[in-house]
Every structure is written in structure tokens, then in C-alpha cells.
Amino acid sequence: MKNELIKVTIENHVALVKMDAPPVNAWSLAFTEEFLEVFDELYEATNVRCIVVTGREKMFSAGADIKQRTSVSGVAGNLTRHMRRMREVGNTVMEMNKPVIAAVNGPALGVGMAPIINADIILASDNAFFCMPEIDIGLMGGAAHTMSLFPHSLARRMILTGYRLPASEAYRRGIIEACLPLEDLLPAAMDIANNIASKSPKAISLAKRAINTVRSMPLREGYRFEQNLTNEMTQHEDSKEAMRAFLEKRKPVFKDNV
């Protein structure tokens, strides 16, 4: 990994992904490419069981790099390529084979919300807010993604007015898992991540496959799909180890074998 605009540290099977492009983590071409590269590598990393993504200091991400966008659109094909890259930001988080926790340490605007909306678990600091400002800057935002996370009326208010949703309100509405003082945010996110990382890598992978698949399936077919995953899990050594540990009243020992 380059560790230039996106800094990655891995400890105890948890990858901490820190967006670090001063001053506001704007999504330039270079920033977007490095973000996608990081998640592609983590997808294949057998020593990683959970991912935490956060921003620098008191800023998660201010969204699109408007200054660079004007220069990008001046070259034939560049804008189309850049839009395709931006679509993949949300996809690469959503399709990750490991749980992704968003630790939102400050404002998250426009495309800066992509890693959040597609994360599995969301926590935010009390200085954070969520906003779709595109209506005021001559762009169109990600309505489909916004409406997948926020309730009907609230999502439309955000899209149509650029309303800044405080993290405290998002927590009150049950949209995010926690709203905490900034200094407590990362420890809380890492606590959840370490809990997940203590589980079987195979079980985590199958659980993520279930989450990503059944969300678009009818209930009956979705449950049948999950039952097939249960059968697959029972054939894995981790299943046998988990059962042995339960009977022997000890912690299971899992290997990085999916």
C-alpha cells in the first residue's frame, strides 16, 4: 500500500484506514485511486478480519474535489472515467468480504458519505454532521445511496435542501450506532472491530456474503440462501473448533483460513 493519502495500519486482525489528504479529504483522482487500491488489497488480505475507516483530525471528508473536477471535465473521456471511479467507492466498501466500520470523526459531505452509507456499522463524533450539498453547487448527489440509509422524508430533505444532519440527530433517529465525544470515537470503533476480529474468519466471510446478498432478495429465498451458508459453515474446521471450545468452556482458536 502507498500510505500516502490513505494511511493503513493493521493490528490484531483489524485494519485502520485513515483518510489523510489535507485539508478536508476531498476526493481527487489520486485520492480516489488510492482508496480503491487500499480496499482491493484488504479484500485479499488473509490477516485482516475487520476494517475501520476514519478521517484526519476533525474532518471525515468534504466530498468531491471541485477544483480538480473543472479540469477533469475539460479532457474527453476524463469525466466519464472519474464518475466510474466514484461509483466504485461505494461499491468497494459495500462488496467488501470483511465488515467495515465507519468512525465518522467530523463533517461528511456528498461523496464523502459513500464509505459511511455502505459501511456495516456507523459511529460518529458529536462534532460530525451528514450533508448532501450538491443542490447548492451545481451538481447532483447520490440519491439512491442516501435513500438507502436515511428515512424517506429526511433523505429527501437532505437532497433537496442540503440540510446538515447532526450526528446527535442521526443517533436519536437510530441511523447510526453511537454519537460520542471525538476522543472516545476511535476507541469505541476499535472495540467493536476487535470483537468482530476475534470471530472465525470463515464465519465473518459467510456473514458478509449473507448481508450483501439477502438485502435484495425476498424473505423466503433469502432465508434459504442463509441456510445453505450454514451448511457450508459446518463443513469448515472453524465450526468444529467453535463447538469444541463451547463444550470445553474455553475461547476458540481460529486460523486465517477462509
Side-chain angles (χ1 to χ4, degrees), residues 25-236:
N25 290 331
W27 290 80
S28 64
L29 291 172
F31 184 87
T32 304
E33 287 286 1
E34 189 170 342
F35 186 92
L36 295 176
E37 288 172 7
V38 163
F39 271 78
D40 285 344
E41 290 187 39
L42 290 176
Y43 190 98
E44 299 182 9
T46 58
N47 63 326
V48 173
R49 301 179 186 176
C50 189
I51 300 166
V52 176
V53 59
T54 192
R56 63 185 307 274
E57 299 176 358
K58 297 180 180 182
M59 170 59 71
F60 189 79
S61 173
D65 189 328
I66 301 300
K67 291 181 180 179
Q68 189 175 85
R69 185 183 179 88
T70 57
S71 62
V72 166
S73 59
V75 180
N78 271 4
L79 183 58
T80 299
R81 281 188 289 272
H82 185 53
M83 290 174 68
R84 182 167 58 247
R85 291 188 191 96
M86 295 314 303
R87 288 197 298 272
E88 288 307 309
V89 170
N91 291 338
T92 195
V93 175
M94 180 178 64
E95 296 169 2
M96 178 56 60
N97 58 351
K98 305 167 178 73
V100 178
I101 299 172
V104 188
N105 61 306
L109 290 78
V111 71
M113 288 205 296
I116 301 168
I117 289 174
N118 293 283
D120 296 290
I121 300 171
I122 308 166
L123 298 86
S125 54
D126 52 18
N127 66 305
F129 64 81
F130 308 91
C131 177
M132 296 297 289
E134 286 84 350
I135 195 76
D136 293 320
I137 56 175
L139 298 173
M140 288 290 101
H145 287 287
T146 304
M147 291 189 293
S148 72
L149 177 63
F150 300 99
H152 177 99
S153 181
L154 176 59
R156 285 157 175 77
R157 181 184 179 188
M158 294 173 70
I159 295 164
L160 295 172
T161 72
Y163 174 62
R164 295 184 172 190
L165 175 69
S168 57
E169 183 181 347
Y171 175 64
R172 178 179 63 82
R173 287 171 173 255
I175 298 168
I176 63 176
E177 189 68 16
C179 177
L180 304 161
L182 181 59
E183 62 270 20
D184 297 333
L185 175 66
L186 198 55
M190 294 301 290
D191 185 58
I192 297 174
N194 284 315
N195 183 296
I196 293 172
S198 69
K199 316 296 183 186
S200 156
K202 180 65 175 179
I204 293 170
S205 176
L206 291 178
K208 276 292 310 214
R209 194 194 306 175
I211 290 168
N212 288 343
T213 305
V214 302
R215 62 189 296 180
S216 59
M217 297 175 70
L219 178 60
R220 183 182 179 88
E221 286 75 7
Y223 187 50
R224 179 184 295 176
F225 178 83
E226 291 181 76
Q227 286 182 314
N228 290 335
L229 295 185
T230 296
N231 291 337
E232 181 177 339
M233 183 66 211
T234 57
Q235 304 305 311
H236 195 276

